[in-house]
Amino acid sequence: MIITDEKLKGSIEDKMAIADSFNLMDDDFFAVVMRDKAACSYTLSRLLDKKLNVIKVDTQYAIRNYNGHSVVLDALAEDEEHKLYNIEVQVKNKDYHPKRVRYYQASLDTLFLEKNQNYKELPELYLIFISATDWLKGGKCKYTVRRMVDETQQEIDNGVHEYYFNAAVDDGSSLAKLLQYLKNSSADNSSFGELSKAVYNHKRTAKGADSMCEAVENYGYRKEAEGRAYEIIALMLETGADDEAIIARLMSRLEVSKERAIEYYNAYKKQEGKAEK
């Protein structure tokens, strides 16, 4: 959903109207709602059919890779047993989801295993991908992926649990009803406990709607800065400037750290490389 800055600067009634137009399949709204640990705990407990308590949650969690592809996770939660949960929502089928999930797992493993740690110290990880469409075309609202040995049908547990959910299949189950709610997310629907309370807060209260619009506005500023960075890089490359000069100019013009300037530069080169292909 694209929202202009002018709309974000309107009255609180305008902001509440904007917030009301979102649903939980919009990653911006999903990220804001999932900051509520009670709402996140409720959602994960219903999706995984087990009681769990989230003690920490980060949304729009960035994992920077200055030599490759960085990722931004919609929500990364940790429960009281220190298990990790990465929850992603996706409306469009623009990527091949299993390989995207594979890359997210690799990024998280690299982040959470420090030098000289034993591999067994990797935290248990749940990868949860929620899409608007049934891209697996199996007629199910939930798909569980397991690692099996072909010859013996023995399951190999490496601590990674991979799930794909979709809001397209409504089989009448309680899980399907929850997934339908993610797609509709009416503030008047109080059937989903703490999740419904958090949605109501961000759609029907002035404070909640204001924080929602502020989050979207900040995202807009980040995208604007990225666009300006790409313009600077393109112009400097035309003049034959080297990498060091380009990074220095980005730091100066955008008032960003060297690390952020390098991130912009790598992202630009990756984008241009795809365009050439």
Side-chain angles (χ1 to χ4, degrees):
M1 180 176 292
I2 298 174
I3 297 178
T4 63
D5 287 347
E6 288 73 19
K7 288 183 179 179
L8 291 168
K9 295 174 182 176
S11 67
I12 192 60
E13 289 78 12
D14 292 335
K15 291 181 178 181
M16 289 176 71
I18 292 169
D20 199 43
S21 68
F22 279 90
N23 62 61
L24 288 162
M25 292 302 293
D26 295 308
D27 53 5
D28 289 314
F29 188 60
F30 181 81
V32 171
V33 171
M34 285 299 108
R35 291 176 189 168
D36 184 315
K37 288 186 286 188
C40 188
S41 297
Y42 176 90
T43 303
L44 285 170
S45 296
R46 289 288 303 273
L47 289 173
L48 300 175
D49 195 25
K50 68 171 186 173
K51 181 65 176 175
L52 60 89
N53 181 40
V54 169
I55 60 171
K56 180 181 179 182
V57 59
D58 292 300
T59 61
Q60 297 296 310
Y61 185 85
I63 302 176
R64 308 298 182 189
N65 183 347
Y66 299 116
N67 296 311
H69 187 73
S70 298
V71 299
V72 179
L73 310 180
D74 288 340
L76 180 63
E78 179 182 350
D79 71 9
E80 56 192 358
E81 296 180 351
H82 304 295
K83 297 176 182 179
L84 297 178
Y85 303 83
N86 171 216
I87 320 169
E88 299 294 319
V89 292
Q90 183 70 55
V91 175
K92 298 179 180 178
N93 289 321
K94 60 182 180 180
D95 296 316
Y96 181 59
H97 305 318
K99 286 197 173 180
R100 179 183 178 191
V101 170
R102 169 185 164 184
Y103 190 80
Y104 281 18
Q105 177 195 331
S107 299
L108 284 162
D109 285 347
T110 302
L111 182 66
F112 285 99
L113 188 67
E114 297 181 2
K115 187 176 181 179
N116 297 325
Q117 275 190 301
N118 192 288
Y119 292 116
K120 68 181 180 181
E121 296 181 66
L122 275 170
E124 195 164 349
L125 174 62
Y126 289 77
L127 298 164
I128 298 167
F129 190 92
I130 306 170
S131 61
T133 62
D134 179 20
W135 59 275
L136 278 168
K137 297 180 172 45
K140 306 292 183 181
C141 61
K142 175 185 177 182
Y143 300 96
T144 304
V145 177
R146 302 191 188 282
R147 301 175 75 247
M148 304 290 291
V149 178
D150 280 346
E151 290 77 9
T152 63
Q153 294 301 298
Q154 178 184 7
E155 183 177 352
I156 301 296
D157 180 12
N158 65 351
V160 176
H161 310 274
E162 189 173 340
Y163 298 92
Y164 297 91
F165 299 87
N166 73 83
V169 176
D170 185 358
D171 58 9
S173 66
S174 60
L175 175 59
K177 287 181 173 61
L178 171 66
L179 294 165
Q180 292 298 307
Y181 177 70
L182 298 186
K183 186 169 63 175
N184 300 316
S185 310
S186 169
D188 300 320
N189 188 337
S190 59
S191 304
F192 300 95
E194 296 296 333
L195 181 59
S196 289
K197 291 180 184 178
V199 168
Y200 182 91
N201 174 55
H202 287 291
K203 290 193 173 191
R204 291 288 190 269
T205 69
K207 183 178 178 180
D210 197 49
S211 67
M212 174 62 215
C213 288
E214 181 182 355
V216 177
E217 187 173 18
N218 289 337
Y219 176 77
Y221 288 151
R222 292 197 303 271
K223 296 303 289 183
E224 181 183 359
E226 183 180 275
R228 289 173 59 203
Y230 286 6
E231 290 177 3
I232 292 169
I233 294 167
L235 288 171
M236 292 194 72
L237 286 174
E238 288 180 3
T239 66
D242 61 20
D243 294 353
E244 190 172 328
I246 292 172
I247 291 168
R249 178 65 64 83
L250 290 173
M251 293 170 62
S252 173
R253 292 287 298 276
L254 300 177
E255 298 181 351
V256 297
S257 66
K258 184 175 182 179
E259 289 76 13
R260 180 56 60 88
I262 292 172
E263 178 188 338
Y264 284 145
Y265 192 29
N266 285 338
Y268 176 86
K269 290 190 292 185
K270 187 177 185 67
Q271 176 179 286
E272 291 302 297
K274 288 183 177 179
E276 290 173 3
K277 293 177 183 179

